């Protein structure tokens, strides 16, 4: 087993591959993809890896527990290890997988939040700190948090979530108490909760790969089914394309409106917005970018793709098993040209993959 860096808590369940070398970890992930995506093994490329495997996490959501005795209690921030019905709280104050700023924000939260408050989760994202309180809004607590002395670059948010538990955040009840309500990295606006890949170099590589493949079709009309912050829409609009995106998160969609001005943005579940997408496409040829949640597209979305027949599809998947299921259905009309894996989460078994699909030649592919 490799020597672990300082601060790595051996009992923490977060990084199952931390004892492996970079080579051994990559081999396991590559082997897993080959098994799960066996029908397309011949077109799976080598894993794209980051330059650094530690200190990469710029966003982290952790559990909070009160530790110490009754007279000397303090906040611990960390992970939960489950063994059957038993749970063990593992504090990770100096986690080496985190960017140093993330650990600093968690330390700040542990110092500032009074120990009698119902502090349940802490979220650090870039220069934003979100305190999750298991409570409805209390004006006196909000006033106290507004008075905290923070570094000037830090934005402070509170998420009022009386049901905090299996669902840590209530998407309807996030309030900005200090600093800017919006963050910006690399010219892209985002909020404190919105998803973004942890490793910018790999995020750029994945977007470039998918967009270059789509743009080669020569069709200035693009649809992004789970558009998030609008990275693909931003690029398409800069090229003068007509573009439409669907996104469930209101925070992400508000950011996409700034990141990709002029794009048609539809809020809701993708399967519920297919009629509006048909109207937008208007029977014209188009290309498609898709990055669905772990469960994949589902029958309605796969059926729509086969029916609407975009000339090319770039599909970024966070779950090879659901990708396999979706590709089996899309094989009705598409050939898989290439599958490129990305190691967005070093030290863990998690691996993502970009599948590049073309409408089959006998059906008029480009």
């Amino acid at each position: 087993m490799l020597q672990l860096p300082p601060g790595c808590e051996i009992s923490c369940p977060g990084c199952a591959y931390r004892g492996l070398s970079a080579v051994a970890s990559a081999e396991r992930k590559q082997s897993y993809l080959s098994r799960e995506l066996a029908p397309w093994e011949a077109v799976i490329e080598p894993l794209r890896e980051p330059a650094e495997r530690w200190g990469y996490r710029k966003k982290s959501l952790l559990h909070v527990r009160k530790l110490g005795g009754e007279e000397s209690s303090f906040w611990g921030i960390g992970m939960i290890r489950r063994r059957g019905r038993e749970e063990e709280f593992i504090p990770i104050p100096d986690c080496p997988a985190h960017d140093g700023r993330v650990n600093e924000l968690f330390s700040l939260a542990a110092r500032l939040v009074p120990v009698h408050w119902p502090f349940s989760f802490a979220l650090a994202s870039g220069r934003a700190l979100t305190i999750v309180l298991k409570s409805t809004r209390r004006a006196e607590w909000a006033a106290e948090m507004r008075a905290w002395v923070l570094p000037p670059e830090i934005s402070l948010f509170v998420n009022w979530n009386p049901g905090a538990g299996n669902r840590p955040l209530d998407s309807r009840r996030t309030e900005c108490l200090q600093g800017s309500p919006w963050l910006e990295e690399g010219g892209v606006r985002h909020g404190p909760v919105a998803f973004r890949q942890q490793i910018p170099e790999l995020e750029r590589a994945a977007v470039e790969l998918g967009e270059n493949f789509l743009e080669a079709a020569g069709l200035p009309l693009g649809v992004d089914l789970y558009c998030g912050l609008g990275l693909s829409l931003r690029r398409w609009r800069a090229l003068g394309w007509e573009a439409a995106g669907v996104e469930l998160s209101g925070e992400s969609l508000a950011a996409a409106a700034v990141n990709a001005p002029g794009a048609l943005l539809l809020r809701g579940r993708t399967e519920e917005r297919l009629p509006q997408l048909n109207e937008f496409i208007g029977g014209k040829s188009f290309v498609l970018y898709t990055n669905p949640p772990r469960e994949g597209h589902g029958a309605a979305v796969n059926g729509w793709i086969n029916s609407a027949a975009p000339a090319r599809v770039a599909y970024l998947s966070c779950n090879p098993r659901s990708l396999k299921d979706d590709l089996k259905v899309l094989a009705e009309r598409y050939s898989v040209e290439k599958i490129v894996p990305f190691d967005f989460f070093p030290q863990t078994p998690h691996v993502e993959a970009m599948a590049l699909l073309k409408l089959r030649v006998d059906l008029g592919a480009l």
Side-chain angles (χ1 to χ4, degrees), residues 8-32:
C8 187
E9 172 54 58
I10 191 64
S11 58
C12 172
C15 295
Y17 280 10
R18 62 190 157 188
L20 300 178
S21 68
V23 172
S25 175
E27 287 176 349
R28 284 202 186 182
K29 295 186 181 190
Q30 199 83 37
S31 177
Y32 169 66

Side-chain angles (χ1 to χ4, degrees), residues 112-125:
L112 290 175
V113 177
V115 292
H116 63 279
W117 286 12
F119 189 16
S120 298
F121 294 90
L123 170 64
S125 178

